[in-house]
């Protein structure tokens, strides 16, 4: 036994079970404060595209709460913050990292709700999936008292990849930096969500502060109602209003709500320094807090379904049905930016690792294991199926990571179109235009809802890649939106520009009602 004091005994199985239970809990329950704020955003949204996206996220959220399936196919890299009372005693011979990792292993491997293993070891070279989502990222602080407080979070790669760090001069404006940086982050972090900001300390401390701030309760509605009481609260409100006034909107399609809240934590810093970090939390924000006092494993209380707004997404009557098995390039060229499509038929999947292998084969003049001519490819790494599902939650991954492969794929394979989330870069858009292709988006944060359109799934190439293998899906009325058409028009450019102009011109309020 490890003994630091004379307080309660924290038993090894209690800690492990609590971590495992928390990871299952946050995989399918949104925090109640997030649902309340997102419901208000839906009620006041005026952009049809953004309102439809929020409706899909809210519908997906309720489905996951009812069905105990993941909110997002990217079930995240686990972050655990432990505040260990120095009076607590630990009944274990294992390290805290080992205890956390065992909890992750059990939580992600639960048969009735298996979560996706996304962690790769040896990040520089082999990048081999560890198979159980370990190791977790663990932060430990020794504090006064004899209880052990634990915050467990699962952070998706799409939002984590948008993290920013800057070493500002002491006289530089934080507001100016945020307003300059947020538009450059694109929509790969799946707004609407939160911005966590850390200021001070050192570079590493600022980043941890930003991450920790995302675990704070979402209270912007209450703050606006009572008014700010401190300079820090005034700054939060200013950033909240100015970021939303950019018009980026849900999924980057243009609209009134880009962020539901802005959180800021600070720490003392060197007189010559002003470290600033910003990390977004996505539409699948996942975290839970519990306290261990020696009485057994933690018990997390499920939120009442009455907390969810009465929103039940259905495809628009104007949606165009597309038969993927009879798709022609002329039909692809006829799609319009912002148009909603319902895809039926067979599509292939492929993301980073699969694209790298396909590119290597093409560059070597070798045959591909799958024929991409006339096909549509979906950038996705699905969750394993349970209870008779064809596939588990299968929402889109960030498309910009495939931009480097786009021209080669369109030039050499005869691929017709791609499905992902968020914007495409200039080179990819130019390639789409030159090849008369199209880029479609599914809603990030609606993975379980999207998976209901997938009727069959089978691995057709690279099975050793796990969730990154190439699948063939058979889909029925899978909802997507035309994000880049064959002429190269991108709704991620036109939408935010139009809604930013509208907000500025008409003084549309950007506060949560």
């Amino acid at each position: 036994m490890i003994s630091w004091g004379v307080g309660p005994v924290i038993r090894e199985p209690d800690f492990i079970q609590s971590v495992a239970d928390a990871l299952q809990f946050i995989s399918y329950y949104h925090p109640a404060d997030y649902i309340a704020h997102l419901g208000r955003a839906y009620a006041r949204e005026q952009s049809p595209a953004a309102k439809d996206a929020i409706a899909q996220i809210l519908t997906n959220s309720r489905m996951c709460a009812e069905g105990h399936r993941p909110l997002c196919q990217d079930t995240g890299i686990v972050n655990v913050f432990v505040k260990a009372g120095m009076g607590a005693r630990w009944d274990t011979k294992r390290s805290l990292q080992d205890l956390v990792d065992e909890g992750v292993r059990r939580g992600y491997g639960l048969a009735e709700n298996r979560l996706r293993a996304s962690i790769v070891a040896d990040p520089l070279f082999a990048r081999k999936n560890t198979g159980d989502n370990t190791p977790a990222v663990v932060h430990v602080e020794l504090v006064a008292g004899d209880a052990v407080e634990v915050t467990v979070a699962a952070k998706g790669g799409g939002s984590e990849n948008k993290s920013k760090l800057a070493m500002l001069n002491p006289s530089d404006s934080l507001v100016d930096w945020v307003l300059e940086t947020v538009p450059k982050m694109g929509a790969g972090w799946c707004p609407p969500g939160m911005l966590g900001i850390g200021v001070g300390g050192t570079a590493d401390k600022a980043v941890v502060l930003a991450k920790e701030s995302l675990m704070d309760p979402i209270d912007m509605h209450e703050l606006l109602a009572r008014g700010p009481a401190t300079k820090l609260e005034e700054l939060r409100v200013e950033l909240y209003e100015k970021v939303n006034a950019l018009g980026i909107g849900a999924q980057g399609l243009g609209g009134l709500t880009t962020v539901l809240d802005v959180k800021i934590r600070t720490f003392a810093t060197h007189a010559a320094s002003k470290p600033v970090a910003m990390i977004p939390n996505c539409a699948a924000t996942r975290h839970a807090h519990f306290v261990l006092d020696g009485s057994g494993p933690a018990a997390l209380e499920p939120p009442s379904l009455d907390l969810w707004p009465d929103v039940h997404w259905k495809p628009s009557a104007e949606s165009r049905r597309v038969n993927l098995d009879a798709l022609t390039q002329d039909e692809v060229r006829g799609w319009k930016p912002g148009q909603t499509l319902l895809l039926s038929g067979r599509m292939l999947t492929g993301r980073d690792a699969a694209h790298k292998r396909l590119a290597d084969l093409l560059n070597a003049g070798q045959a591909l294991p799958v024929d991409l001519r006339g096909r549509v490819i979906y950038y996705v790494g699905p969750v394993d199926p349970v209870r008779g599902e064809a596939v588990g939650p299968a929402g889109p991954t960030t498309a910009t990571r495939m931009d480097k492969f786009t021209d080669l794929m369109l030039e050499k394979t005869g691929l017709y179109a791609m499905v992902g989330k968020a914007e495409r870069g200039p080179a990819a858009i130019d390639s789409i235009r030159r090849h008369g292709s199209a880029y479609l988006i599914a809603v990030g944060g609606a993975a379980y809802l999207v998976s209901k359109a997938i009727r069959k799934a089978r691995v057709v190439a690279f099975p050793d890649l796990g969730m990154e293998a190439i699948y063939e899906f058979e889909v029925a009325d899978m909802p997507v939106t035309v994000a880049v058409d064959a002429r190269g028009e991108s709704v991620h450019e036109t939408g935010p520009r139009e809604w930013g102009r509208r907000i500025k011109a008409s003084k549309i309020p950007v506060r949560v009602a």
Side-chain angles (χ1 to χ4, degrees):
M1 177 188 296
I2 299 173
S3 180
W4 293 339
V6 295
V9 176
I10 308 301
R11 298 175 60 247
E12 177 180 306
D14 293 343
F15 185 91
I16 291 172
Q17 189 63 52
S18 298
V19 171
D21 290 347
L23 289 168
Q24 278 288 311
F25 185 92
I26 65 176
S27 77
Y28 45 73
Y29 286 134
H30 265 131
D33 52 5
Y34 177 83
I35 290 300
H37 279 70
L38 189 62
R40 294 187 185 99
Y42 173 80
R44 63 183 299 279
E45 184 57 68
Q46 298 179 27
S47 162
K51 197 174 186 75
D52 181 83
I54 296 174
Q56 289 195 44
I57 295 169
L58 285 169
T59 301
N60 182 77
S61 179
R62 177 185 285 273
M63 290 171 60
C64 294
E66 293 173 337
H68 286 194
R69 292 296 274 144
L71 292 157
C72 181
Q73 79 289 338
D74 183 351
T75 51
I77 183 169
V78 176
N79 293 246
V80 177
F81 296 87
V82 180
K83 292 186 177 182
M86 295 184 69
R89 294 177 292 164
W90 292 76
D91 184 10
T92 183
K93 294 182 179 180
R94 303 168 74 172
S95 71
L96 189 58
Q97 181 74 52
D98 284 346
L99 296 179
V100 171
D101 286 346
E102 182 59 29
V104 173
R105 195 171 289 114
R106 295 185 189 183
Y108 275 69
L110 191 68
E112 54 263 39
N113 183 41
R114 193 176 299 277
L115 306 180
R116 195 184 83 179
S118 303
I119 304 307
V120 295
D122 188 9
L124 286 176
F125 303 109
R127 293 187 66 86
K128 181 178 176 57
N129 197 302
T130 63
D132 57 12
N133 222 59
T134 65
V137 178
V138 182
H139 301 273
V140 186
E141 181 181 357
L142 298 179
V143 298
D146 54 17
V148 175
E149 293 187 40
V150 182
T151 299
V152 175
K155 194 69 163 55
S159 60
E160 189 69 6
N161 288 349
K162 301 301 182 179
S163 302
K164 303 296 180 183
L165 170 68
M167 303 301 290
L168 301 184
N169 293 319
S171 61
D172 290 343
S173 165
L174 173 65
V175 173
D176 289 349
W177 179 78
V178 170
L179 295 179
E180 178 184 355
T181 303
V182 169
K184 297 176 182 177
M185 288 163 49
W189 59 281
C190 290
M194 285 73 64
L195 293 179
I197 298 173
V199 183
T202 51
D204 53 318
K205 180 65 174 180
V207 174
V208 174
L209 288 169
K211 181 66 67 66
E212 284 185 301
S213 75
L214 292 172
M215 314 302 151
D216 294 339
I218 302 174
D219 63 352
M220 184 55 70
H221 174 68
E222 293 77 14
L223 174 55
L224 292 172
R226 65 171 170 80
T230 66
K231 287 186 176 180
L232 199 60
E233 289 184 344
E234 289 176 358
L235 181 59
R236 284 178 56 202
V237 170
E238 180 182 4
L239 285 171
Y240 166 82
E241 295 185 333
K242 288 183 175 179
V243 169
N244 281 333
L246 296 172
I248 295 169
Q251 305 292 300
L253 296 171
L256 302 183
T257 302
T258 303
V259 292
L260 301 173
D261 205 339
V262 177
K263 298 298 184 183
I264 306 173
R265 288 195 181 190
T266 64
F267 194 84
T269 193
H270 193 285
S273 303
K274 194 175 184 177
V276 176
M278 180 166 61
I279 304 177
N281 228 3
C282 65
T285 180
R286 293 165 293 207
H287 57 86
H289 174 266
F290 59 84
V291 177
L292 297 176
D293 58 8
S295 62
L300 297 171
E301 184 176 351
S304 169
L305 289 176
D306 293 338
L307 297 174
W308 270 257
D310 188 21
V311 176
H312 305 276
W313 177 86
K314 292 183 179 180
S316 166
E318 289 77 36
S319 298
R320 175 175 176 174
R321 283 185 160 81
V322 174
N323 180 0
L324 296 174
D325 297 328
L327 188 61
T328 66
Q329 193 153 39
D330 283 343
E331 183 176 3
V332 172
R333 288 179 172 137
W335 294 341
K336 305 298 183 184
Q339 185 177 23
T340 301
L341 309 178
L342 297 174
L343 306 181
S344 295
R346 295 172 300 156
M347 67 165 49
L348 296 171
T349 76
R351 40 178 288 159
D352 308 67
H355 273 74
K356 176 64 166 61
R357 287 195 183 178
L358 292 173
D360 288 345
L361 290 171
L362 289 170
N363 289 328
Q366 298 180 22
L368 300 183
V370 289
D371 187 356
L372 299 180
R373 286 175 296 178
R375 306 298 293 274
V376 172
I377 196 166
Y378 182 25
Y379 302 149
V380 62
V383 175
D384 289 342
V386 301
R387 303 192 293 271
E389 296 172 338
V391 70
T397 198
T398 307
T400 47
R401 299 201 312 274
M402 267 54 73
D403 280 5
K404 63 190 293 185
F405 304 110
T406 297
D407 194 58
L408 178 67
M409 298 291 285
L410 295 180
E411 177 72 28
K412 299 294 186 181
T413 71
L415 186 71
Y416 275 178
M418 303 147 283
V419 183
K421 74 172 184 181
E423 70 285 345
R424 304 307 297 265
I429 291 175
D430 181 63
S431 181
I432 290 168
R433 178 189 58 77
R434 286 188 289 103
H435 292 95
S437 180
Y439 167 60
L440 317 172
I441 58 167
V443 172
Y448 194 35
L449 175 65
V450 171
S451 73
K452 295 303 182 182
I454 302 169
R455 305 305 167 84
K456 294 181 181 179
R458 64 187 183 98
V459 175
V460 294
F462 312 141
D464 61 298
L465 294 180
M467 63 92 175
E468 293 204 75
I470 295 180
Y471 289 76
E472 183 177 72
F473 287 168
E474 289 190 27
V475 300
D477 287 346
M478 175 179 164
V480 297
T481 299
V482 180
V484 181
D485 71 353
R487 288 161 294 281
E489 182 176 331
S490 170
V491 297
H492 288 104
E493 296 175 358
T494 59
R497 183 167 62 241
E498 171 65 15
W499 280 92
R501 183 194 64 77
R502 289 191 189 190
I503 292 168
K504 183 178 180 179
S506 61
K507 305 298 182 183
I508 298 174
V510 292
R511 294 191 173 199
V512 173

